[in-house]
């Protein structure tokens, strides 16, 4: 009898210590789709790079996802904002990211990750592509994959960011971007337990944009399994500026037409013009409106932390505290107006589209590359792909034991936000706007009309196990 009791208590407490995970998001045709619910996934995102590019220093032991205390604070504020995706640009694959990734997982926030960095030999050099595309560079790229492949909230990897933007780059860079995309896909296929999408983030240079999209998204020989083809396309665009902008003046109507026949997800990998301050984010209603979402899959606001370029939503103070800016409040109000049910409704046609066959006829610009001959792997790279990199730093989910934010955070009115905490989501949901108002000192960290969840995504399962164990223990004692 006692052994029976022991078994059930072991099962129960083992379940309590388990780590819940968000559901994977997959690329199906032109949409992101939840692999369990089949709901469409629209990116409601924000760029997350505290310190900016200048703050990323090799060997410093610090990157945006290496400090769990800071990630806890920022995840709590992002959850209240309604964010479901972060984009992180500069990562050190040798660091431990387990706690930060697990915190964002717990609150239903996915991660889009750049595999390159601004440091020497850690990205393609548009002025010296053949030399910068080497096995040492790919070793670094594959290291990022190893560090994040096991996190279920890893939404995808960017193989490049704005590589094509300066005159001359459009003629030589495209084949190399397809090469890195291929290399990433091959490495993921051999060393990851699931397929993780790989895409490209383009500058909004209208002279090159349509050709960049056509070149990257077509399939060589018409095969949808073409490993050099991107799985998604991001656009860094700041064309909607201020409260007087419209769908037409911002050129959103042109984007809808340009991407109208897309066979992969397209989204704003950066948006949020700051020419008018504070930002009012009127474009949010257009980005997630019916006309835009029939073609595109949301966007990523630039950016979370206020830096010298003045795009931030939150000030990080020297004394370790943080202060919300009025821009945060304005964006929160815009997100709270979104029709989430409509955004999650699927489109069976969009998920079954086939990629166009690559051909010079897809390219309209006279200077843009019309060659689809992708560079061969550099010396030593095939061994990396076949055997994996040496001594990989493989990330894994860990239990998030602390949910309360200890550091003081001030609302835009100067008052301290009380009881700020993350709220682990039940049933492994992704985060959505919840109608919260984070302007003042009386905030409690719990959405209106909801009770706090302290058990995490596996809370309901754990409660059911507790009740089940109680019943069996009772029977064993009879």
């Amino acid at each position: 009898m006692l052994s029976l009791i022991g078994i059930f208590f072991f099962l129960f407490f083992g379940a309590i210590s388990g780590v819940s995970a968000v559901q994977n998001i997959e690329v199906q045709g032109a949409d992101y789709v939840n692999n369990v619910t089949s709901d469409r996934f629209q990116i409601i995102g924000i760029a997350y790079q505290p310190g900016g590019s200048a703050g990323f220093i090799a060997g410093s032991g610090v990157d945006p996802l290496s400090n769990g205390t800071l990630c806890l604070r920022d995840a709590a504020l992002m959850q209240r904002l309604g964010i479901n995706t972060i984009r992180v640009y500069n990562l050190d694959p040798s660091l431990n990211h387990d706690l930060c990734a697990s915190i964002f997982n717990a609150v239903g926030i996915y991660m889009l990750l750049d595999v390159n960095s601004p440091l020497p030999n850690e990205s393609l050099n548009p002025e010296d592509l053949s030399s910068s595309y080497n096995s040492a560079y790919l070793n670094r790229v594959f290291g990022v994959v190893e560090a994040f492949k096991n996190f279920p909230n890893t939404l995808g990897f960017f193989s490049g960011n704005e590589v094509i933007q300066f005159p001359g780059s459009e003629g030589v860079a495209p084949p190399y971007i397809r090469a890195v995309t291929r290399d990433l896909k091959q490495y993921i296929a051999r060393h990851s337990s699931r397929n993780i999408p790989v895409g490209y983030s383009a500058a909004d240079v209208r002279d090159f944009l349509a050709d960049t999209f056509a070149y990257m998204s077509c399939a060589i020989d018409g095969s949808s399994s073409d490993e050099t083809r991107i799985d998604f396309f991001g656009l860094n665009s700041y064309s909607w500026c201020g409260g007087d902008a419209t769908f037409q003046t911002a050129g959103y109507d042109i984007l809808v037409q340009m991407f109208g026949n897309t066979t992969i997800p397209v989204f704003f990998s950066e948006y949020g013009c700051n020419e008018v301050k504070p930002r009012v984010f009127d474009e949010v209603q257009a980005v997630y409106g019916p006309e835009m979402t029939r073609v595109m899959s949301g966007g990523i606001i630039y950016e979370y932390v206020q830096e010298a370029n003045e795009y931030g939503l939150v000030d990080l103070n020297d004394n370790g505290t943080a202060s919300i800016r009025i821009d945060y409040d304005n964006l929160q109000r815009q997100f709270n107006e979104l029709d989430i049910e409509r955004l999650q409704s699927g489109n069976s046609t969009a998920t079954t589209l086939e990629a166009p066959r690559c051909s010079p006829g897809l390219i309209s610009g006279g200077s843009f590359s019309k060659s689809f001959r992708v560079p061969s792997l550099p010396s030593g790279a095939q061994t990396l792909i076949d055997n994996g990199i040496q001594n990989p730093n493989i990330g894994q989910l860990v239990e998030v034991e602390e949910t309360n934010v200890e550091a003081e955070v001030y609302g835009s009115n100067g008052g301290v936000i009380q009881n700020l905490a993350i709220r682990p989501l039940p049933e492994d949901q992704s985060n959505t706007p919840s109608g919260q108002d984070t302007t003042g000192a009386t905030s409690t960290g719990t959405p209106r009309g909801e009770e706090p969840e302290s058990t995490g995504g596996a809370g309901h399962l754990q409660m059911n196990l507790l009740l089940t164990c109680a019943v069996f223990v009772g029977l064993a004692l009879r």
Side-chain angles (χ1 to χ4, degrees), residues 178-453:
R178 289 192 73 126
V180 177
T181 300
R182 171 202 63 203
D183 304 343
L184 275 163
K185 286 188 176 185
Q186 289 184 357
Y187 194 91
I188 290 168
R190 287 165 174 78
H191 302 286
S192 174
S193 61
R194 68 178 177 97
N195 180 48
I196 303 174
V198 178
Y200 177 71
S201 177
D204 191 3
V205 180
R206 294 300 167 97
D207 290 343
F208 306 144
L209 183 58
D211 286 339
T212 299
F213 173 70
Y215 186 96
M216 297 299 169
S217 62
C218 68
I220 297 176
D221 297 331
S223 171
S224 59
S225 61
D226 176 11
E227 292 176 320
T228 71
R229 175 180 180 255
I230 57 172
D231 297 315
F232 59 85
F233 186 82
L235 172 62
N236 301 337
S237 178
Y238 298 85
S239 61
W240 187 299
C241 288
D244 295 331
T246 67
F247 203 85
Q248 286 70 36
T249 62
Y252 280 18
D253 55 336
I254 297 174
L255 295 179
V256 168
Q257 181 179 9
M258 182 182 299
F259 300 128
N261 294 321
T262 183
T263 58
I264 58 173
V266 178
F267 58 91
F268 288 117
S269 44
E270 292 176 8
Y271 77 103
C273 174
N274 71 345
E275 288 183 6
V276 179
K277 302 171 186 175
R279 293 186 285 177
V280 295
F281 297 108
D282 282 351
E283 68 266 45
V284 165
Q285 302 311 315
V287 169
Y288 299 97
E291 190 170 1
M292 207 73 168
T293 55
R294 67 181 177 85
V295 174
M296 298 183 67
S297 296
I300 297 171
I301 289 289
Y302 191 84
E303 62 181 322
Y304 178 73
V305 175
Q306 177 77 342
E307 307 288 354
N309 56 12
E310 298 186 343
Y311 280 90
L313 305 182
V314 177
D315 287 309
L316 301 184
N317 306 316
D318 292 338
N319 63 357
T321 63
S323 302
I324 287 176
R325 301 174 63 83
I326 190 67
D327 306 63
Y328 176 107
D329 297 335
N330 292 341
L331 181 59
Q332 187 176 50
R333 281 191 285 270
Q334 294 287 354
F335 283 160
N336 285 343
E337 294 181 15
L338 298 182
D339 183 347
I340 300 301
E341 184 175 352
R342 180 185 64 79
L343 293 178
Q344 292 178 340
S345 59
N347 182 341
S348 58
T349 301
T351 59
T352 57
L353 299 172
E354 294 292 330
R357 178 186 292 268
C358 294
S359 70
L362 292 175
I363 309 301
S364 59
S367 62
F368 203 96
S369 175
K370 295 181 176 64
S371 171
F372 293 93
R373 295 184 61 184
V374 177
S376 301
L377 283 167
S379 176
Q382 189 63 58
T383 300
L384 295 177
I385 292 175
D386 291 342
N387 303 329
I389 62 173
Q390 291 187 358
N391 303 316
N393 176 34
I394 302 176
Q396 62 180 352
L397 280 182
V398 297
E399 187 172 3
V400 178
E401 298 177 349
E402 183 58 64
T403 58
N404 296 316
V405 176
E406 297 298 330
E408 287 190 340
V409 178
Y410 301 93
S412 59
N413 67 353
V416 175
I417 299 176
Q418 303 296 325
N419 304 322
L420 181 62
I422 63 168
R423 184 177 56 88
L425 296 182
E427 300 174 1
D428 310 330
Q429 299 168 0
S430 58
N431 194 44
T432 57
S434 58
Q436 291 192 87
D437 183 347
T438 315
T439 58
T442 58
S443 301
T444 63
T446 304
R448 289 194 296 266
E450 295 186 20
E451 293 300 320
E453 283 281 350

